[in-house]
């Protein structure tokens, strides 16, 4: 079964298990045509196995005239070794039921890869979009692809094939409707935005017809609309357009229907729609802008003008988080024009799409080429292309290409550069100098980026500012700007920028030691990027999540998340994510007391998975020092630390200077070591980085114990252990407890959950707080998902945890909240 069908599979498996145990029952599988009900019945028959139980499968139960016998049979099965599995497009007959929801995009692509191995990614995306998660539609579309479509010389299909059984079923249901209902369907399928208010404006349409049409459209979902659009008789199509043109209020939708009620090219209408699209874009309504640019293209005869509208539509689709629709528009535009300018604009957009969901080295080449073509006619667009090219080079870990991009940008700089383009040019110059280790040169330019980001309202400027502040170690400013970038991206309708902004929100929170905020931002980033098909950003956030877990010593979770990202890192050459992943894995090695493995991993860092991101490698230097000291290789530690000290000293970041002093404390002896450790502790407190403070106290306490100063060591180690407990860093708690014992303190074993204390609190008559407040942030996430009905497998998939980790957390949740089952937990949190 596919991931999206886990809950249904679990329900079917549970029914079969009860039947084998002698007490069966019934389960109804509900779903529209082609949703996979019959396939699930067949899978249940294959899984029924041997034994004395009976499995009764009833398909298409909605076609039965008499269902009383079925309901009675299902009731009797509860006392017998009988499982009754019913598939229907109708009501559940009062029986327990689950719905077969459409497959998500990722599962649709897996189905297509199985059906058509080697299917081109762009074509696979188009087919998956058309099928809308319907398994039968995927099968029929894949089977009907022509050699021209497979070879890329013909466009992707825009409707189910004419011999499709699913299309025939939809068509038959449409033709069985009354004439008024068919008219209502036509009104709905020629305009996806038609709603109840629009239909109420139609004078010849009664409520019965609307309800009849709605039953068909709702049952089939978006797929039935696209299918019936191809099935509509021409006269009925034009009648629907004419009615909407007459009764809709003035605006772009009315303009479209006025144009569409007659055949042929209608350029004047197209220009009106393009004007509406431009106004929508200025208001941040990119979905409306994309719709009207698409329609303007459909109404335009001149190929170049049509291509221009399509490229504008693609830009709007990308901005609002629909990159696959953007690619479709670009492919159509490419067949219409030979204009160098239009091709360069298209190449800029393709590079931007590749930045989120493609090969970053390909994105760099495309964006640099676009910049070169646009620089003479559209300088601001050329600079935009260079900013994206720099980010693509950073994702790839290709600092040579980043330097090339920054040098190109430097040649474009003017003395009177406006803020909107200057921020991109300064960002490229500052980050290129940082990657090259020229920190004194980078410092003033990156400070300029931060100042400009405060003045320029565009979310991209806030992202550049957040990245600059993070590079300079100004974690509070970085977090403020990244949060502003997320807010501004939503307010401007630029959904495509949200995952990118969340990267720096998560990283800045991590620099502040706000692990729960970093987790929240990275989880939001994963889900936002997944929703809009930006899989490179998904991998970025996954590796950040892995690093958060590894720094807390949660090794199982860290490794699980690294494994989830590893395939995409290798396939796409994601050097930045690969370097984050290697850093996280090295932290796992250190937590498991494998310093030699950690040192090897940190020295090689992302080998074989793209370039090594030097900025991240420098940030990981404190762990290189920790690993090298653990291996007895101080010279290796000193080399790594010198590079880190140069960076931290130039930026003046208290958090990073604290780590620098801690590392010097590990590498020196006697009074000098103690001075470094004490200064590190002072700087940790000044920067508010509690988790790193605890680690420094642990290392310093170990040194004091070794130097026969156990009393001073115990004071530090007690404080460290309390902080580790607050962060749920169990492995670090264990290390601190072991050091305390070695320093001569009788340490009690790990305390049990404070259930007795809470029981006494309840007995005191004082009011109870929100139950979730008793949980850690991660436990609260798991508890809410379980209360919503998610299985352990679904929780693990959503939070990128191992199944074993979810079970462990769930046991602790039950203990903390004093519940014994998922049902009790749901009642408590309801």
């Amino acid at each position: 079964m596919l991931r999206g069908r886990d809950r249904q599979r679990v329900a079917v498996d549970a029914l079969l298990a009860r039947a084998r145990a002698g007490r069966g029952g019934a389960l109804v599988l509900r779903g529209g045509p082609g949703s996979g009900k019959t396939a699930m019945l067949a899978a249940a028959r294959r899984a029924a196995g041997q034994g004395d139980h009976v499995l009764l499968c009833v398909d298409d139960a909605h076609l039965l005239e008499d269902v009383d016998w079925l309901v009675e049979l299902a009731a009797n099965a509860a006392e017998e070794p009988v499982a009754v599995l019913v598939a229907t497009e109708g009501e559940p007959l009062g029986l327990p039921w689950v719905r077969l929801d459409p497959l998500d995009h990722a599962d649709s692509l897996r189905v297509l890869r199985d059906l058509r191995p080697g299917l081109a990614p762009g074509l696979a995306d188009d087919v998956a979009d058309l099928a809308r998660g319907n398994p039968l539609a995927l099968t029929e579309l894949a089977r009907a692809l022509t050699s021209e479509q497979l070879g890329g010389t013909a466009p992707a299909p825009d409707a189910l094939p004419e011999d499709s059984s699913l299309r025939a079923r939809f068509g038959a249901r449409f033709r069985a409707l009354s004439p008024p209902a068919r008219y209502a369907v036509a009104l709905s399928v020629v305009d996806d935005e038609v709603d109840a208010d629009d239909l109420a404006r139609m004078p010849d349409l009664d409520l019965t017809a609307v309800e009849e049409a709605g039953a068909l459209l709702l049952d089939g979902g978006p797929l039935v609309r696209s299918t019936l659009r191809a099935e509509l008789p021409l006269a009925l199509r034009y009648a629907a357009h004419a009615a909407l043109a007459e009764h809709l209020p003035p605006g772009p939708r009315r303009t479209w229907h006025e144009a569409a009620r007659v055949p042929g090219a209608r350029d004047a209408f197209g220009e009106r729609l393009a004007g509406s699209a431009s106004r929508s874009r200025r208001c941040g309504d990119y979905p409306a802008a994309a719709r009207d640019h698409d329609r303007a293209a459909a109404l335009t005869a001149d190929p170049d003008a049509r291509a221009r509208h399509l490229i504008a539509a693609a830009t709007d689709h990308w901005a609002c988080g629909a990159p696959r629709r953007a690619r479709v528009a670009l492919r159509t535009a490419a067949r219409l024009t030979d204009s160098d300018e239009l091709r360069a604009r298209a190449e800029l957009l393709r590079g931007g799409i590749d930045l989120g969901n493609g090969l970053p080295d390909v994105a760099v080449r495309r964006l640099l080429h676009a910049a070169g073509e646009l620089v003479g006619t559209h300088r601001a667009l050329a600079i935009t292309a260079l900013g994206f090219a720099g980010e693509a080079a950073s994702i790839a870990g290709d600092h040579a290409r980043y330097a090339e991009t920054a040098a190109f940008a430097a040649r474009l700089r003017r003395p009177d550069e406006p803020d909107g383009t200057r921020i991109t040019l300064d960002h490229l110059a500052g980050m290129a100098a940082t990657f090259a280790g020229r920190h004194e040169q980078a410092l003033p330019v990156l400070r300029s980026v931060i100042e400009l980001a405060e003045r320029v309202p565009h979310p991209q400027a806030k992202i550049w500012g957040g990245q600059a502040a993070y590079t300079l170690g100004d974690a509070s400013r970085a977090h403020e700007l990244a949060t502003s970038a997320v807010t501004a991206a939503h307010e401007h309708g630029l959904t495509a920028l949200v995952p990118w902004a969340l990267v720096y929100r998560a990283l800045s929170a991590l620099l502040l030691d706000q692990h729960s905020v970093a987790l929240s931002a990275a989880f939001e980033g994963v889900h936002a990027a997944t929703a809009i098909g930006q899989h490179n950003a998904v991998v970025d956030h996954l590796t950040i999540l892995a690093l958060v877990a590894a720094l807390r010593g949660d090794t199982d979770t860290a490794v699980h998340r690294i494994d989830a990202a590893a395939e995409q890192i290798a396939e796409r050459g994601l050097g930045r994510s690969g370097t984050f992943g290697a850093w996280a894995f090295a932290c796992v090695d250190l937590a498991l007391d494998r310093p030699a493995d950690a040192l090897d991993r940190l020295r090689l860092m992302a080998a074989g998975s793209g370039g090594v991101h030097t900025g991240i490698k420098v940030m990981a230097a404190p762990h290189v020092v920790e690993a090298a000291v653990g291996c007895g290789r101080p010279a290796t530690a000193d080399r790594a630390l010198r590079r880190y000290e140069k960076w931290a000293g130039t930026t003046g970041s208290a958090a990073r200077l604290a780590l620098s002093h801690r590392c010097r404390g590990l590498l020196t002896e006697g009074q000098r070591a103690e001075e470094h450790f004490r200064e590190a502790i002072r700087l940790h407190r000044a920067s508010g980085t509690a988790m790193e403070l605890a680690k420094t106290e642990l290392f310093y306490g170990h040194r004091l114990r070794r130097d026969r100063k156990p009393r001073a060591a115990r004071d530090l180690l007690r404080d460290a252990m309390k902080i580790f407990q607050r962060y749920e860093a169990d492995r670090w708690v264990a290390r601190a407890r072991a050091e305390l014992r070695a320093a001569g303190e009788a340490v009690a074993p790990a305390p049990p959950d404070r259930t007795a204390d809470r029981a006494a609190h309840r007995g005191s008559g004082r009011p109870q707080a929100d139950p979730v407040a008793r949980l850690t942030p991660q436990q609260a996430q798991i508890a809410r998902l379980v209360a919503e009905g998610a299985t352990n497998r679904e929780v693990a998939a959503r939070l990128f945890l191992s199944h074993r980790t979810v079970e462990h957390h769930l046991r602790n949740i039950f203990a903390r909240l004093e519940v014994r089952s998922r049902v009790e937990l749901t009642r408590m949190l309801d």
Side-chain angles (χ1 to χ4, degrees):
M1 294 290 176
L2 297 164
R3 292 180 307 163
R5 300 295 172 94
D6 278 350
R7 187 174 301 179
Q8 294 86 347
R9 185 196 63 182
V10 168
V12 171
D13 288 347
L15 173 67
L16 296 176
R18 290 197 303 272
R20 293 188 192 102
R23 294 179 63 83
L27 181 68
V28 177
L29 304 176
R30 300 181 69 192
S35 59
K37 303 182 299 298
T38 301
M40 191 162 278
L41 293 179
R45 290 196 297 271
R46 291 193 298 271
Q50 301 298 316
D52 295 332
H53 65 287
V54 174
L55 171 63
L56 174 63
C57 294
V58 181
D59 204 354
D60 289 332
H62 55 282
L63 300 179
L64 294 173
E65 293 184 5
D66 177 15
V67 294
D68 291 344
W69 66 272
L70 183 56
V71 175
E72 184 179 353
L73 175 63
N76 294 335
E79 303 298 325
E80 302 291 340
V82 176
V84 180
L85 203 55
V86 181
T88 184
E89 295 175 19
E91 295 303 311
L93 311 175
L95 301 173
W97 61 275
V98 292
R99 181 177 295 282
L100 273 65
D101 294 320
L103 305 178
D104 63 23
H105 191 76
D107 282 337
S108 295
L109 293 180
R110 289 186 182 89
V111 170
L112 288 172
R113 281 199 294 268
D114 289 341
L115 294 168
R116 285 281 196 174
L119 190 63
L123 180 57
D125 281 331
D126 292 347
V127 171
D129 280 348
L130 177 59
R132 303 288 185 148
N134 186 293
L136 181 56
L138 287 167
T139 301
E140 294 186 331
L141 284 164
R143 184 197 65 216
L145 289 172
T146 66
S147 56
E148 291 80 9
Q149 288 169 331
L150 293 169
T153 58
D158 58 5
L160 289 169
E162 291 186 3
D163 63 347
S164 158
S165 63
L166 191 55
R167 179 167 173 168
R169 290 173 70 179
F170 287 148
R173 290 183 62 181
F174 171 70
R175 289 187 291 276
L177 298 175
S178 66
R182 288 201 297 273
Y183 177 55
V185 168
L187 292 167
S188 298
V189 301
V190 299
D191 187 338
D192 289 339
E193 297 176 61
V194 164
D195 58 20
D197 290 339
D198 295 328
L199 294 177
R201 294 188 182 98
M202 303 296 125
D204 300 328
L205 207 57
D206 60 33
L207 182 61
T208 303
V210 172
E211 290 177 347
E212 197 180 347
L216 171 59
L217 294 171
L218 289 175
D219 284 350
L223 179 62
V224 77
R225 289 176 177 268
S226 64
T227 303
L228 293 181
R229 197 171 295 128
E231 289 278 307
L232 281 183
L234 201 58
L236 186 56
R237 180 194 308 277
Y238 287 144
H241 282 303
L244 290 167
E246 180 180 354
H247 295 291
L248 283 178
R253 288 177 62 207
R254 180 169 181 165
T255 300
W256 162 247
H257 292 294
E258 287 173 347
R261 60 187 170 181
V262 292
R266 290 131 294 179
D267 296 63
F269 288 107
E271 289 304 315
R272 284 169 58 187
L273 285 171
S276 297
S278 297
R279 290 191 292 274
S280 295
R281 184 186 282 183
R282 287 194 295 273
C283 296
D285 189 353
Y286 288 95
R291 176 201 66 200
D292 292 337
H293 274 132
D294 272 328
R295 288 175 172 177
L299 297 173
T300 301
D302 178 71
D304 275 0
R306 190 176 175 203
R308 189 177 297 275
H309 292 320
L310 285 167
I311 292 168
T315 303
D316 297 327
H317 283 307
W318 172 83
C320 66
R324 290 187 292 274
R325 297 186 70 179
R327 286 189 190 274
V328 172
L330 288 175
R331 281 197 292 272
T332 306
R335 293 191 290 269
L336 294 172
T337 182
D338 293 322
S339 162
D340 291 339
E341 181 227 333
L342 292 179
R343 287 184 176 276
R345 284 175 175 266
E347 198 73 347
L348 164 58
L349 188 54
R350 285 193 189 93
I353 296 170
D354 285 341
L355 184 64
N357 187 32
L359 300 177
D361 60 334
V362 172
V364 175
R365 291 197 297 273
R366 280 185 164 157
L367 290 161
L368 288 175
H369 176 261
E373 292 292 316
L374 291 167
V375 70
T377 54
H378 297 279
R379 181 173 174 274
L381 273 183
I383 292 173
T384 298
L386 291 173
F388 283 176
E391 178 64 11
S394 179
I395 289 172
D398 188 342
H399 298 302
R401 272 298 176 89
Y402 200 102
E404 176 188 342
T405 303
F408 188 165
R411 295 193 295 273
L412 301 185
R413 187 182 290 272
R414 294 174 178 171
D416 58 343
E417 197 70 53
D419 288 353
T421 49
R422 180 184 162 198
I423 190 170
T424 302
L425 298 173
D426 282 357
H427 169 78
L428 287 165
M431 294 308 299
T434 297
F435 294 147
R438 301 191 303 271
H439 302 298
E440 295 85 357
Q441 180 183 336
L443 185 62
V445 191
L446 291 177
R447 284 178 177 164
S448 167
V449 173
I450 296 170
E451 292 171 7
L452 289 166
E454 300 286 357
R455 300 202 297 266
V456 179
H458 196 279
Q460 183 63 67
K462 309 296 182 189
I463 293 173
W464 293 147
Q467 186 175 0
Y470 178 75
T471 303
L472 295 180
D474 188 345
S476 296
R477 183 74 70 86
H479 195 257
E480 176 187 326
L481 283 167
T483 302
S484 296
V486 175
T487 303
H490 284 302
E491 288 177 349
H492 284 73
L494 289 166
T495 307
L497 298 182
V498 171
W500 193 354
L502 285 165
V503 166
Y504 291 100
R505 189 167 194 269
L507 288 175
S508 58
L510 194 54
L511 184 59
L512 289 165
D513 259 5
Q514 296 178 1
H515 286 204
S516 61
V517 177
L519 280 171
S520 176
F523 276 126
E524 185 182 349
V526 167
H527 297 302
T530 300
I532 61 176
Q534 288 190 7
H535 296 297
N536 292 344
V538 171
V539 175
D540 256 349
H541 283 289
L542 270 178
T543 53
I544 293 170
L545 286 169
L547 182 61
V548 174
L551 290 171
R552 291 166 52 191
D554 186 352
T555 55
D556 284 348
T557 296
V559 171
H560 184 78
R561 289 170 177 168
I562 294 167
D563 288 346
E567 182 180 352
Q568 292 297 308
I569 289 172
E571 284 185 3
R572 296 168 182 255
L574 306 178
R576 182 168 71 189
S577 297
T579 311
F580 268 127
W583 183 9
F585 224 135
C587 292
V588 168
D589 288 329
L590 288 170
L592 296 174
D593 198 23
R594 301 191 304 233
D597 291 343
L599 185 59
D600 285 344
R601 206 179 299 276
L602 288 164
R603 283 172 55 242
L604 295 173
M605 273 214 151
S609 57
V612 176
H613 195 286
T614 58
I616 299 168
K617 190 168 185 177
V618 171
M619 285 193 288
H623 292 102
V624 176
V625 173
E626 187 181 336
V629 168
C631 296
R633 297 176 62 177
T636 300
D638 188 66
R639 284 195 300 272
L641 181 55
R642 282 200 299 271
R643 290 190 294 271
Y644 186 83
E645 285 176 328
K646 180 182 177 184
W647 178 46
T650 303
T651 63
S653 163
R656 288 170 180 158
L657 286 170
L659 295 176
S660 177
H661 280 287
R662 180 172 85 194
C663 291
R664 279 294 163 207
L666 290 170
L667 284 170
T668 53
E669 298 290 338
Q671 185 61 31
R672 288 287 296 154
E674 292 196 28
E675 289 172 1
H676 282 298
F677 277 125
R678 285 196 292 270
E679 180 63 5
I681 288 171
R682 185 188 72 79
L683 289 166
H684 283 311
R685 287 176 175 154
S687 61
T689 49
M691 183 74 169
E692 293 302 333
L693 166 64
K695 290 179 182 178
T696 296
E697 289 175 329
L698 174 63
F699 296 150
Y700 186 18
H702 171 79
R703 178 65 63 86
L704 289 171
R705 179 183 66 77
R706 196 189 68 183
D707 291 345
R708 299 184 180 179
K709 299 178 180 178
R711 181 178 298 175
R714 288 195 292 269
D715 290 340
L716 289 167
L717 293 168
R718 285 190 210 101
D719 187 47
M721 189 167 74
K722 289 176 184 175
I723 294 171
F724 290 143
Q725 287 171 333
R726 194 163 72 239
Y727 276 82
E728 294 184 274
D730 293 344
R731 289 187 184 275
W732 289 102
V733 170
R735 285 179 64 172
R737 185 176 283 114
E739 282 291 340
L740 266 172
R741 280 197 296 267
E745 184 156 314
V747 183
D753 204 39
R754 295 194 296 268
T755 302
D757 293 347
R758 286 193 295 275
H761 178 73
R762 276 203 308 278
S764 69
R766 284 176 287 183
Q768 288 297 295
D770 177 6
V772 174
R774 307 181 207 167
L775 305 176
T776 67
Q778 184 144 294
Q779 288 174 341
Q781 280 183 307
I782 292 170
R784 289 191 185 99
L785 289 172
V786 168
E788 290 169 7
T791 65
N792 284 9
R793 190 187 304 273
E794 289 169 333
V795 172
R798 184 163 178 80
L799 300 183
F800 299 97
L801 301 169
S802 68
H803 194 270
R804 182 175 65 179
T805 300
V806 173
E807 290 176 344
H808 168 76
H809 281 301
L810 202 52
R811 286 194 296 271
N812 289 340
I813 291 166
F814 283 4
R816 285 197 176 199
L817 299 184
E818 299 177 68
V819 298
R820 292 175 294 178
S821 70
R822 302 167 84 94
V823 173
E824 288 185 26
L825 176 64
T826 302
R827 287 174 182 160
M828 177 176 282
L829 300 185
D830 191 7

